[in-house]
Amino acid sequence: DAKTTQPPSMDCAEGRAANLPCNHSTISGNEYVYWYRQIHSQGPQYIIHGLKNNETNEMASLIITEDRKSSTLILPHATLRDTAVYYCIVSFTDKLIFGTGTRLQVFP
Amino acid sequence: GAVVSQHPSWVICKSGTSVKIECRSLDFQATTMFWYRQFPKQSLMLMATSNEGSKATYEQGVEKDKFLINHASLTLSTLTVTSAHPEDSSFYICSARGLTTDRGHEQFFGPGTRLTVL
């Protein structure tokens, strides 16, 4: 599976949009991009996934570049409860290999 | 969303004893379940893939005789840490993949089990 690169940490003001980048320059054509998050001492929570097209659900939006070498997870109106570690994973199988993720801190 | 439970949520045991952790999919059938381990301030590490009715597939470096996995039904997988030692103390998390194709690439994670070996 291709590796991903994420910034180790980010801050975001409550109510503002949080844009979390992810580089996956070696992604192959059949690999999906998944985003999960983990709030302290809990199991990871699925956020969104996509292949080529941008995706949106009730939690977030996923923007994938045309060359698929990078993506951005957008939380449109961050709240304090969105403080967590966010993981970007690429995979074409069921196996999810977690990297180090981005620790997002939402502040009042 | 689908719910995955784990039991117990935390356990403390003596060195040399065995501990069993259960992972259940509560409202869907899971053909495949996964077991992860997470040490403090580290990311999740995939230990093994468990398919209902067949032997688990272990990741490189994971001792299959130490971490026994059983997936006897479509809603239950168990992880038994045999002869536990203090270095096995960790946060163990399971996940389950559903049968439905519209969620075919979504995994549902349990809340985790914190194991402390004294």
Side-chain angles (χ1 to χ4, degrees), chain B residues 23-25 29-35 49-56 68-79 95-97:
Chain B
C23 176
R24 293 181 185 274
S25 56
Q29 293 181 319
T31 54
T32 304
M33 290 184 170
F34 304 86
W35 287 96
T49 302
S50 168
N51 292 299
E52 186 266 337
S54 63
K55 290 184 178 180
L68 302 179
I69 292 173
N70 183 280
H71 193 161
S73 77
L74 286 172
T75 60
L76 174 63
S77 176
T78 60
L79 168 69
S95 70
R97 180 188 185 282

Side-chain angles (χ1 to χ4, degrees), chain B residues 7-51:
Chain B
H7 178 79
S9 55
W10 58 270
V11 56
I12 301 173
C13 70
K14 293 182 178 179
S15 184
T17 61
S18 295
V19 175
K20 179 185 284 188
I21 301 170
E22 293 185 348
C23 176
R24 293 181 185 274
S25 56
L26 298 185
D27 51 1
F28 68 103
Q29 293 181 319
T31 54
T32 304
M33 290 184 170
F34 304 86
W35 287 96
Y36 297 81
R37 180 168 56 180
Q38 185 175 33
F39 293 109
K41 297 188 178 182
Q42 294 187 22
S43 186
L44 284 78
M45 185 197 80
L46 179 64
M47 300 176 66
T49 302
S50 168
N51 292 299

Side-chain angles (χ1 to χ4, degrees), chain A residues 30-34 36 46 48-51 91-94 96, chain B residues 96-98 100-108:
Chain A
N30 57 355
E31 288 184 309
Y32 283 75
V33 179
Y34 300 87
Y36 284 80
Y46 167 84
I48 200 168
H49 76 273
L51 183 62
S91 178
F92 69 93
T93 68
D94 289 346
L96 300 179
Chain B
R97 180 188 185 282
T100 53
T101 56
D102 62 343
R103 289 179 178 270
H105 292 274
E106 183 177 345
Q107 286 187 27
F108 306 99

Side-chain angles (χ1 to χ4, degrees), chain A residues 70-81:
Chain A
S70 66
S71 61
T72 301
L73 177 74
I74 301 173
L75 306 179
H77 305 287
T79 71
L80 298 178
R81 289 179 294 179

